Amino acid sequence: MSDAVFVYSPALAGFELSPDHPFKPERARLTFEMCGDRGLLTGNGVRVEEFARPEEGLLERWHTAEYITLLERAESGREVDVEMIHHGLGTAENPVFKGVHTYSKLSATASVLAARAAADGGSAFNPCGGFHHAHSDRASGFCYINDAVIAILDLRKRGIRVAYVDIDAHHGDGVQ
């Protein structure tokens, strides 16, 4: 029997899109703690894959160089210009915040690690993923990067066929 893997980075909980934004990355920490408190992260067949650093080069697998440069410029959380807004950064849905580029890389890493665990015959959960609205060149719908596409591309690179089934209440347009 293969492991059930909970993929987690404590760093993800340290980001805040804005004080009044409905999406709260801190929920990843709360989910991790709740699962731990209930004994769901221990025992045979269960493994926590905790990571501190993002895997380099993941965003470049699908996002345009121009867009990644804008995410890097937005990292300070202070700069917003017309070009960023044109690419969905600095809007009410996708505000610029301190660490936005790092957060994006961590989210992509978590999803790729979860996909690899599943590909190895197990099952996996990433509490801070599923950002299926980001396009290759713009943020959309609370999604700065499209970790789903990046994970799919990682699996395809390994020769694995992938069926993407979206069970969200609305269309994952960035994956399409």
Side-chain angles (χ1 to χ4, degrees), residues 26-122:
E26 180 188 22
R27 291 180 187 151
R29 178 186 58 78
L30 296 172
T31 301
F32 180 74
E33 290 174 359
M34 181 186 70
C35 289
D37 290 347
R38 287 164 176 73
L40 300 174
L41 301 178
T42 57
N44 287 341
V46 177
R47 174 169 63 88
V48 173
E49 183 158 344
E50 197 169 307
F51 67 99
R53 296 189 168 283
E55 184 175 321
E56 293 302 321
L58 291 181
L59 301 186
E60 293 80 358
R61 292 184 183 176
W62 191 66
H63 292 282
T64 65
E66 177 185 20
Y67 180 66
I68 293 169
T69 298
L70 293 172
L71 274 176
E72 290 168 345
R73 277 190 18 222
E75 181 76 358
S76 71
R78 294 185 300 265
E79 180 182 349
V80 177
D81 59 32
V82 173
E83 186 179 14
M84 288 178 178
I85 292 171
H86 176 72
H87 290 271
L89 298 170
T91 65
E93 280 188 350
N94 293 90
V96 168
F97 62 93
K98 184 174 175 51
V100 65
H101 182 245
T102 301
Y103 168 76
S104 297
K105 292 191 313 182
L106 286 167
S107 297
T109 299
S111 291
V112 167
L113 291 173
R116 289 173 184 166
D120 289 341

Side-chain angles (χ1 to χ4, degrees), residues 126-173:
N126 168 19
C128 200
F131 301 117
H132 61 173
H133 292 296
H135 292 254
S136 63
D137 63 347
R138 73 180 188 278
S140 179
F142 305 175
C143 305
Y144 294 88
I145 53 95
N146 198 313
D147 63 311
V149 169
I150 293 167
I152 289 167
L153 290 173
D154 189 79
L155 294 175
R156 301 264 315 178
K157 184 177 169 185
R158 296 166 187 276
I160 299 170
R161 293 176 61 187
V162 178
Y164 175 79
V165 179
D166 188 343
I167 57 171
D168 199 341
H170 53 279
H171 180 60
D173 54 335

